[in-house]
């Protein structure tokens, strides 16, 4: 992430997601404590990191804030060790014109790299690289995920039952496919289980109440149950079909623009997607 940030001496750098303090320590050691600010929503993490860094003789600014809200300062570089969706508008406000931000889109492996423009937005690309981080959170813990919220219904018979085209896939482990699924059905969560008998089951669950469950043995077409306002397994199969027929998915190396409000527009040829 720091390599994609194109960091140089004399820059004010924001490290989003203090965590243990490791990335903050690298920045402060290399560029000087006075040039580095780190933020995290968890006061235990920021306190522990500040103590560790102090024992090393490093004293960057460390603030306990919700990174999706106002940020403490103005910066030439913003590098995030958490994933976001949508991109907080406050990051663009805090980024100086000509500055660069680097982050990952939640539930994807897509690294967004962008330069701030004079109109308050930004332009860039998704990197030809990948990474994965925890999502931003707004308090001491994450709210329950949609898989657990809809646990009472996702193992029932679906409104529609069919035979899938492709074998069951652990979607979270197929990074390109997972990234494209987030673009096509934002907010979808995935779960996967493999039994001792080799039978595999995958679930896709969306906050709007849509869900899909596919069960099958290795290499065999699965039985698919789907319910709700959208057919999530059909979305997944269209993605897998595009991957198989075209040899790739438009998730890495894609040109993008970001509005001052943080809306990301991706575009490659006729293909377009929006992250908002």
């Amino acid at each position: 992430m720091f390599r994609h940030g194109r960091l140089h001496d004399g820059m004010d750098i924001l490290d989003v997601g203090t965590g243990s303090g490791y990335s903050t320590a690298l920045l402060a050691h290399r560029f000087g404590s006075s040039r580095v600010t780190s933020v995290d929503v968890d006061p235990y993490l920021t306190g522990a990191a500040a103590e560790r860094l102090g024992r090393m003789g490093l004293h960057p600014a460390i603030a306990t804030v919700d990174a999706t809200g106002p940020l403490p300062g103005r910066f030439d570089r913003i590098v995030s060790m958490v994933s976001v969706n949508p991109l907080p508008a406050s990051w663009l406000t805090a980024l100086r014109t000509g500055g660069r931000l680097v982050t990952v889109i939640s539930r994807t492996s897509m690294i967004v790299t962008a330069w701030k423009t004079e109109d308050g937005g930004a332009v860039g690309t998704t990197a030809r690289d990948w990474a994965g981080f925890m999502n931003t959170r707004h308090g001491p813990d994450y709210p329950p995920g949609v898989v657990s919220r809809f646990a009472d219904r996702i193992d029932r018979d679906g409104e529609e039952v069919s035979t899938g085209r492709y074998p069951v896939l652990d979607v979270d482990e197929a990074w390109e496919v997972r990234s494209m699924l987030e673009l096509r059905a934002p907010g979808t969560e995935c779960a996967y289980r493999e039994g001792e008998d080799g039978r595999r089951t995958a679930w896709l669950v969306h906050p709007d109440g849509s869900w899909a469950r596919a069960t099958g043995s290795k290499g065999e077409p699965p039985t698919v149950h789907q319910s709700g306002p959208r057919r999530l397994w059909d979305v997944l199969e269209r993605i897998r079909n595009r991957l198989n027929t075209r040899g790739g998915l438009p998730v890495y190396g894609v040109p993008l623009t970001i509005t001052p409000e943080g809306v990301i527009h991706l575009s490659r040829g006729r293909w377009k997607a929006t992250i908002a």
Side-chain angles (χ1 to χ4, degrees), residues 159-181:
E159 298 167 353
E160 179 180 306
V161 182
S162 62
T163 300
R165 180 174 183 179
Y166 299 106
V168 174
L169 175 71
D170 184 352
V171 178
D172 279 337
E173 295 299 321
W175 285 18
E176 277 189 274
V177 172
R178 183 66 182 94
S179 297
M180 183 60 77
L181 178 63

Side-chain angles (χ1 to χ4, degrees), residues 149-165:
R149 280 164 44 201
F150 297 129
D152 62 334
R153 70 182 72 171
I154 60 177
D155 285 323
R156 301 175 184 172
D157 289 342
E159 298 167 353
E160 179 180 306
V161 182
S162 62
T163 300
R165 180 174 183 179

Side-chain angles (χ1 to χ4, degrees), residues 88-272:
S90 60
W91 293 15
L92 292 164
T93 300
L95 189 64
R96 295 186 177 118
T97 299
R100 184 172 174 87
L101 67 84
V102 181
T103 190
V104 172
I105 301 302
S106 298
R107 295 174 295 274
T108 80
S109 55
M110 298 167 61
I111 303 174
V112 168
T113 65
W115 301 96
K116 185 173 178 180
T117 51
E118 292 185 355
D119 64 0
V123 296
T125 62
T126 59
R128 294 188 180 277
D129 196 357
W130 51 86
F133 292 104
M134 297 173 65
N135 299 343
T136 51
R137 53 189 169 101
H138 308 289
D141 206 348
Y142 289 96
V146 294
V147 172
S148 60
R149 280 164 44 201
F150 297 129
D152 62 334
R153 70 182 72 171
I154 60 177
D155 285 323
R156 301 175 184 172
D157 289 342
E159 298 167 353
E160 179 180 306
V161 182
S162 62
T163 300
R165 180 174 183 179
Y166 299 106
V168 174
L169 175 71
D170 184 352
V171 178
D172 279 337
E173 295 299 321
W175 285 18
E176 277 189 274
V177 172
R178 183 66 182 94
S179 297
M180 183 60 77
L181 178 63
E182 177 62 20
L183 296 180
R184 290 307 185 202
T188 300
E189 291 187 8
C190 308
Y192 176 83
R193 182 177 65 209
E194 184 168 349
E196 294 182 359
D197 59 359
R199 289 181 64 77
R200 302 173 174 182
T201 301
W203 292 264
L204 306 177
V205 188
H206 192 273
D208 68 7
S210 301
W211 61 267
R213 182 183 74 254
T215 301
S217 298
K218 182 177 180 179
E220 295 181 355
T223 299
V224 180
H225 291 254
Q226 302 188 82
S227 287
R230 66 181 84 193
R231 296 294 180 252
L232 294 174
W233 201 261
D234 293 352
V235 174
L236 178 65
E237 293 217 324
R238 287 194 292 271
I239 293 169
R240 296 179 72 180
N241 188 62
R242 178 176 180 134
L243 174 63
N244 291 340
T245 57
R246 302 192 184 188
L249 296 169
V251 291
Y252 306 129
V254 180
L256 61 87
T257 60
I258 307 174
T259 71
E261 296 74 31
V263 178
I264 302 174
H265 297 285
L266 303 162
S267 177
R268 176 184 284 170
R270 296 182 179 179
W271 180 84
K272 300 181 186 300

